[in-house]
Structures are given as structure tokens and as C-alpha cells.
Amino acid sequence: MTTPCIEVEAYLKDLQDRICQAVAGLDGAPGGFREDLWQRPQGGGGRTRVLTGGPVFEQAGVNFSHVFGEGLPPSATKGRPQLAGSAFEAVGLSLVIHPRNPYAPTTHCNLRYFEARTEPVTWWFGGGFDLTPYYGFADDARHWHATARAACAGYDSDSYARFKAWCDEYFFIKHRNEPRGIGGLFFDDIQSGDFARDFAFVKSVGDHFLKAYLPIVERRKDRPYGERERDFQLYRRGRYVEFNLVYDRGTLFGLQSGGRTESILMSLPPEVRFRYDWHPAPGSPEAELYDVYLKPRDWLAGPG
């Protein structure tokens, strides 16, 4: 008999294969992804794949993990405190892609399934995908959110609006008082009581990721840029580092559960730059990112 964890594992491994093949194909670098298989001493392990130094993607990490243990870490029970200390099993796919061209955005996607060994078993899904541009383009934002909306079609009627708002709230850098990017979808503790229905939704999100992201990279990857754009990209990558190390629940879960550090921190960009109290010049393309794109909004409202 196929258990839910095994069913989710099979899908996520296949999705990892499809994403890596597509990303490596667009990048074109010889060798493609490096693969590391790892074991977690407390139970389980994973399959990490990382592409570095490519002509299109400076770094792309796509990580599958299947871990289990005797006690859920605090990051996994924040919304379910009654499960603290429960034995658990967790399956997940997490990826972060950092393009080389500053006009191409960074992206993140995560899909996960948890089981807590209660009686009866408590299970739930989480995940989503979000986009972090360095220079904003309205057509990219509309395409991204239109694809996110399509991924939610057939689930609850308010799914896109609800999960978009959740994403805007979650990927917010509180100490900077600014969003990390233009959002997308974020959901956690998804459990309608119908596993097949919830799993079908999660698969739809996973299957729409490449449709959402690759066309944007294809449009932007060859756009000319100079040191100014590269400098701003490295500066804004610092915000990505801050969020992942301070707030991200996936990073915290990996570290608290004793996961493989290299796999957990593959999300960090290979190069980054921090500056003291820097602000873009008013009216500049860099200021436009803050003034127009780092503002939660309905990108699908109105014409276009």
C-alpha cells in the first residue's frame, strides 16, 4: 500500500528532475547540476542539486528531503503548539535560483508535506513560490501573478487572493519595513480533510512554477547591463540573506531538525554586498523598485 509520504515523495522527486532539466537546459553550461546525496543521523536524508557559475544562472539550488524524527522542532509547531514533541515525518522540495543578469529576478519555491504521529495521524501541506526582482517590469509581474492564479484554479474560489495576501505578509522584512519582492503564493497548514484534493492543489502549484518563471528569465537574461546594475543587484541580495537567516521558517526548520547545513544554506546568493544606510537616488530605476514594485498590489487588476 502506498502511503501519503511515499506518494508525495515520488511527485517531488519527479518535479526536482523536471526543474533541474529545464534550468540546466536554459543555462547551457557543461556539467549542469552537481548532485549530493546525504543522510541525516536522526533519520532520513535528501538529494541536493546545485548549479553554480553558469552563463545564465549564477547559482541555482534544488533540494529534495525526506526526514523523520522523534520530536517536531519549534518552527514546525508554531501554528500547532499541541503537536510539540510529536514524532514526525516530512517530505519537501525547496529551490532558490539566482540569475546572473540583474534584470532577471531571483525566485524561490517550496512544497512540503508533514505528518505528526498523533492518533489519528495529523497531516498538512505547505509551500508556494515568490519572485524577487532587482529591476521591475510590469509585464513580468502580471505574468507571474496570472500563472499563480492559474495554479489555484479548481481549488477554493478565493485561493489565489488568500494565498497571495499570505505571501505578501510572510515575505515581509519587518526590520526594513519592506517586502522581499513582488510575492506570489504562500500557504501553510493546508488540510481540508481530503488528502487527494489538497495534494492535487499542491501538484498544480509545483507544475506551474516553470511556466511562471522561465519565460521571465528568457526575456531578461540577455539584456545589457553594467557595473551600476550589478552593484544594485548585489546590494538587494543582502535583503534576501537577511530574510532567510532571520525569518524564514524553512531555514529554521532545517537547522533545528539537524538537516544538512550545506543544503539548507544553498538558498544564499554566491555574491552579496552590504552598505551602510544607502538609499537610491530619487527618480532612478533603482528607486522605482521601491516606489512601484515593493508595494503589495493587485497586479491583475485592470487592463493587461
Side-chain angles (χ1 to χ4, degrees):
M1 177 180 177
T2 302
T3 67
C5 261
I6 296 301
E7 192 175 353
V8 178
E9 175 177 356
Y11 169 73
L12 292 181
K13 282 186 171 180
D14 176 69
L15 182 61
Q16 184 189 36
D17 290 341
R18 286 186 278 139
I19 290 173
C20 289
Q21 182 178 10
V23 169
L26 180 58
D27 186 80
F33 281 84
R34 163 186 170 178
E35 179 177 274
D36 289 321
L37 303 178
W38 53 273
Q39 296 294 317
R40 176 175 171 271
Q42 300 92 330
R47 185 171 73 177
T48 295
R49 291 177 180 169
V50 178
L51 183 156
T52 57
V56 176
F57 299 110
E58 194 167 359
Q59 183 161 296
V62 187
N63 187 37
F64 167 81
S65 62
H66 184 175
V67 301
F68 48 88
E70 294 304 315
L72 276 165
S75 58
T77 59
K78 185 176 181 180
R80 296 173 178 262
Q82 72 277 14
L83 299 180
S86 299
F88 74 96
E89 191 167 2
V91 185
L93 177 76
S94 182
L95 68 88
V96 175
I97 300 174
H98 295 288
R100 185 175 296 280
N101 193 309
Y103 290 107
T106 285
T107 192
H108 158 262
C109 177
N110 175 265
L111 299 171
R112 54 193 179 273
Y113 172 76
F114 281 92
E115 283 187 359
R117 301 302 189 199
T118 54
E119 186 58 46
V121 170
T122 302
W123 58 267
W124 69 95
F125 287 99
F129 51 61
D130 64 284
L131 196 70
T132 305
Y134 304 99
Y135 290 89
F137 296 92
D139 53 346
D140 290 352
R142 287 192 292 266
H143 166 79
W144 179 258
H145 280 280
T147 311
R149 182 174 61 184
C152 296
Y155 200 54
D156 297 331
S157 60
D158 67 341
S159 295
Y160 167 69
R162 184 156 51 99
F163 298 148
K164 176 194 180 297
W166 202 344
C167 189
D168 290 339
E169 178 184 353
Y170 179 77
F171 290 105
F172 190 83
I173 308 173
K174 298 178 182 66
H175 61 273
R176 297 288 188 180
N177 195 34
E178 65 186 42
R180 188 171 81 173
I182 64 165
L185 302 172
F186 179 84
F187 50 91
D188 205 358
D189 297 331
I190 295 297
Q191 208 271 51
S192 70
D194 184 339
F195 173 84
R197 177 175 178 269
D198 294 346
F199 186 29
F201 163 67
V202 170
K203 288 191 288 186
S204 179
V205 173
D207 293 343
H208 278 80
F209 170 73
L210 289 173
K211 300 175 187 177
Y213 185 58
L214 290 192
I216 295 174
V217 177
E218 288 170 345
R219 282 199 293 265
R220 308 301 170 196
K221 66 183 179 67
D222 296 320
R223 184 182 176 104
Y225 68 91
E227 182 56 33
R228 170 178 172 164
E229 292 83 5
R230 174 64 170 173
D231 186 68
F232 185 60
Q233 177 196 45
L234 297 184
Y235 172 76
R236 287 298 307 171
R237 281 179 176 179
R239 297 292 202 268
Y240 210 90
V241 172
E242 290 179 24
F243 180 88
N244 275 29
L245 295 183
V246 176
Y247 300 113
D248 186 65
R249 286 171 60 183
T251 301
L252 293 175
F253 174 82
L255 295 173
Q256 290 172 357
S257 63
R260 180 174 182 257
T261 301
E262 289 298 316
S263 299
I264 298 163
L265 297 183
M266 70 176 189
S267 63
L268 302 182
E271 292 190 37
V272 64
R273 189 166 295 163
F274 290 92
R275 288 183 175 180
Y276 176 75
D277 198 26
W278 182 85
H279 302 279
S284 67
E286 293 76 21
E288 184 184 30
L289 179 74
Y290 294 86
D291 297 338
V292 177
Y293 292 90
L294 297 185
K295 307 281 187 184
R297 59 181 284 189
D298 182 358
W299 285 101
L300 302 181

